[in-house]
Amino acid sequence: MRPSHIVTLLALATLQACAQPPTQPLFAKTDWTVSAVSCPAGCSALTRDFLQKQLGQHITLDDNHFDAPFVDRCAGSLRYLPRQQPVADVLAELRRAAPPNAKPLTPASLGVAGDARLTTATALCREAAGEMSYQRLLAIEPGRVLVLFEEQSVIELR
């Protein structure tokens, strides 16, 4: 092999190693349980009843799955777009999407400090028709995940 080929191969190997930094999983574990539910912005009796029935349900959550009895399964592939956001930005995003008569969510209603910086994520499901927003995770912590549900209710996983 000529020296120029060896240099090229070494350069390619170095570029590949640099382009593929080791990544940590987004979630600390795979098996979760619905530990609490809430309607901090207010929700209908039907939604509250449905949420109460989710308590104790098993959830599988990892970098490629979101398997929960309260959502339809993604029939294609799933990926997450994680972000680091101040809680104020997360709450402002939710206020923009809330109906006019909804009570505003607060850091306390999410169980976080007012100056918290949250790891959040949007789960995207890619199916034959394309990619669509699937689930919104408001906070991802080692021992807890907050999932946004209908009527701005919140499902807590532990």
Side-chain angles (χ1 to χ4, degrees):
M1 188 176 279
R2 295 180 17 201
S4 63
H5 286 95
I6 293 171
V7 170
T8 302
L9 289 174
L10 288 172
L12 284 173
T14 302
L15 283 173
Q16 286 178 341
C18 291
Q20 303 284 335
T23 59
Q24 292 184 338
L26 185 57
F27 306 103
K29 59 184 183 175
T30 302
D31 296 318
W32 298 84
T33 301
V34 175
S35 64
V37 295
S38 64
C39 293
C43 55
S44 67
L46 185 63
T47 298
R48 276 193 310 276
D49 290 345
F50 178 81
L51 289 171
Q52 287 299 314
K53 292 177 183 168
Q54 303 312 306
L55 290 170
Q57 294 290 328
H58 177 263
I59 311 301
T60 300
L61 190 62
D62 63 30
D63 291 344
N64 301 306
H65 296 94
F66 188 107
D67 299 329
F70 53 85
V71 294
D72 292 334
R73 184 177 217 129
C74 172
S77 62
L78 187 71
R79 71 182 180 106
Y80 292 91
L81 296 177
R83 294 188 300 181
Q84 292 288 320
Q85 293 182 274
V87 69
D89 290 357
V90 174
L91 296 175
E93 173 188 327
L94 293 173
R95 274 192 292 281
R96 286 190 297 274
N101 61 344
K103 292 187 294 187
L105 296 173
T106 65
S109 65
L110 297 180
V112 299
D115 61 350
R117 187 156 183 83
L118 305 176
T119 299
T120 68
T122 301
L124 301 173
C125 179
R126 179 180 299 253
E127 296 179 341
E131 194 170 59
M132 65 177 187
S133 180
Y134 179 66
Q135 287 296 307
R136 181 72 167 100
L137 307 180
L138 300 176
I140 302 168
E141 302 167 0
R144 180 176 88 133
V145 175
L146 299 179
V147 180
L148 182 65
F149 193 64
E150 296 172 8
E151 300 180 46
Q152 292 201 345
S153 58
V154 179
I155 297 174
E156 182 176 324
L157 309 178
R158 289 213 183 246

